[in-house]
Amino acid sequence: MPHSPFEIESLAEFDAAVASGSISGFRVQSVDLTDRTRLLLTADVHGAVFLGCPMAEEAAHRVQRDGALVFPVVPDLPFDPYRGALYTPDELFAGLARGYEQTPDARSYAWFQRTRAEHDIFAAVIRGMHDESMSNALDERLRACRPVVGVMGGHALERGGEDYAGAARLGRALVRAGFDVATGGGPGAMEAANLGAYAAEFDDAMLDEAVRMLGKAPSFTPSVAQWAEAAFAVRERWPGGGDSIGIPTWFYGHEPPNAFAGHIAKYFANALREDGLLARSTAGVVFLPGAAGTVQEIFDAATPNYYGSRGEPRPMVLVGRAHWSVRLPAWQLLSALADGRPMAPRIALVDAVEEAPEALLRLGAAG
């Protein structure tokens, strides 16, 4: 994916840049340079920054002496704080056959819990660097995307039921309507929307069968491993599905990421993750039935719409009239906030997921 011309994220990019004799001012991100000692000893490196790039000791001494800044590889971490790309499900769930606890995802959560409890300032810096690297990689990925619609909904929605299937149909319909889908990247309604985006490449029978297969492991409790294995079984049966974005967090590390988002930006800081997801949903947000977290996200999205802090108000579609007007009456408050303001024609309450794509298109065209 496109990134800054001054960022180097692969050995091929390093070789191309250093061929001119200078990488002055470049940022080299998680590239193994142990076999590039001769070039590092001769190239102009003034003002360059090396982020987690293994290199020979003499090369490290030389580049620092000549004006480069070197952030060393941090030992014994279950993740790379300088990584230049988003995660894939296969990366986060590597080693799943040995148990979920052995995967990079679970090990990163365990590291987060331990270092946060210890109030380790160095660990806090590492977490911050990782999350900024995620944001950078996410922005690079989204430059290649179509208009992005965020889909929010509860993590507790179990696989196999009609509500789960409906959320999956929503994700599929959004992709087929010309949008890219971004979710919170976790289980429940989030997984269903990512599944729908994955299924957009296939016929209706595929989605019905996938939902049936997943229903055999309806929840990530009591076994994350069985829950994840069911998703990978669907992907193996129907390889090459459509892409989407998942943006989960280790703050809620007991909730694993889902395997249907092709690109995953996983954060340690939940606030940064939530605001970033909503800010990047430039074509609007669909809110499926949920509880406290989804209510929070409704008003996190409503606030910049109310004040105009992100420019023109972005469409907000709440799905489930009874849920959002009776059980959790967020719609009444949202409508009251919108009254008389530019955001008023950009909000809608619909009964069913099938209505959401048309509502988004209509609200997006509203003046």
Side-chain angles (χ1 to χ4, degrees):
M1 298 303 162
H3 53 73
S4 165
F6 293 102
E7 291 180 12
I8 295 174
E9 298 177 358
S10 70
L11 201 56
E13 291 177 350
F14 175 83
D15 289 341
V18 83
S20 68
S22 175
I23 52 171
S24 176
F26 279 77
R27 278 74 175 108
V28 190
Q29 197 170 348
S30 289
V31 180
D32 188 341
L33 300 175
T34 52
D35 291 332
R36 296 297 188 271
T37 299
R38 181 182 59 81
L39 294 172
L40 290 170
L41 292 176
T42 57
D44 175 14
V45 296
H46 182 77
V49 179
F50 296 88
L51 297 159
C53 298
M55 63 180 74
E57 186 175 354
E58 61 176 324
H61 286 315
R62 186 265 163 173
V63 299
Q64 290 180 89
R65 185 194 68 213
D66 284 18
L69 187 61
V70 176
F71 287 73
V73 175
V74 182
D76 302 321
L77 287 180
F79 61 92
D80 177 2
Y82 313 110
R83 64 178 290 132
L86 300 178
Y87 293 101
T88 66
D90 298 277
E91 286 181 298
L92 289 174
F93 285 104
L96 182 63
R98 301 191 304 274
Y100 173 66
E101 296 75 15
Q102 302 303 313
T103 66
D105 187 64
R107 291 169 54 227
S108 295
Y109 176 47
W111 176 90
F112 177 42
Q113 284 187 302
R114 184 184 72 254
T115 57
R116 185 173 55 164
E118 294 168 349
H119 302 288
D120 183 344
I121 183 59
F122 178 65
V125 170
I126 293 299
R127 294 195 299 267
M129 294 180 71
H130 170 274
D131 284 0
E132 288 302 322
S133 296
M134 278 292 100
S135 291
N136 182 260
L138 181 58
D139 287 337
E140 290 172 0
R141 174 69 187 85
L142 293 179
R143 289 187 197 121
C145 278
R146 301 178 298 178
V148 176
V149 172
V151 178
M152 311 297 173
H155 70 275
L157 181 65
E158 289 194 345
R159 294 165 163 174
E162 179 52 36
D163 288 342
Y164 184 93
R169 291 194 297 271
L170 170 64
R172 184 180 63 183
L174 289 171
V175 170
R176 291 179 176 177
F179 298 108
D180 275 325
V181 169
T183 78
M190 296 173 281
E191 180 190 56
N194 289 126
L195 167 64
Y198 187 89
E201 304 290 320
F202 303 97
D203 61 16
D204 292 352
M206 174 270 173
L207 184 56
D208 293 341
E209 179 63 11
V211 170
R212 187 194 66 77
M213 289 174 60
L214 293 169
K216 296 178 181 179
S219 174
F220 61 93
T221 59
S223 172
V224 173
Q226 291 179 9
W227 176 84
E229 286 166 353
F232 281 105
V234 169
R235 288 182 43 190
E236 183 177 0
R237 181 167 174 182
W238 293 282
D243 195 14
S244 62
I245 303 291
I247 309 180
T249 175
W250 279 297
F251 186 82
Y252 299 128
H254 60 287
E255 296 177 16
N258 77 74
F260 293 109
H263 292 81
I264 299 174
K266 190 151 192 180
Y267 287 84
F268 289 104
N270 184 53
L272 183 62
R273 165 253 191 168
E274 285 194 345
D275 185 69
L277 172 54
L278 292 168
R280 291 171 174 88
S281 298
T282 53
V285 185
V286 177
F287 299 91
L288 298 171
T294 311
V295 171
Q296 177 181 329
E297 288 160 351
I298 289 172
F299 293 102
D300 281 345
T303 300
N305 276 354
Y306 182 88
Y307 288 111
S309 56
R310 291 181 181 142
E312 287 291 316
R314 297 174 182 177
M316 298 176 63
V317 178
L318 278 61
V319 177
R321 194 173 301 275
H323 185 87
W324 292 121
S325 62
V326 179
R327 181 167 180 258
L328 295 175
W331 175 250
Q332 287 89 325
L333 180 52
L334 181 63
S335 299
L337 282 172
D339 187 35
R341 302 188 73 87
M343 67 182 284
R346 300 292 177 90
I347 64 171
L349 175 65
V350 300
D351 286 309
V353 293
E354 288 76 13
E355 302 172 70
E358 185 280 329
L360 274 172
L361 292 168
R362 172 170 47 82
L363 298 180

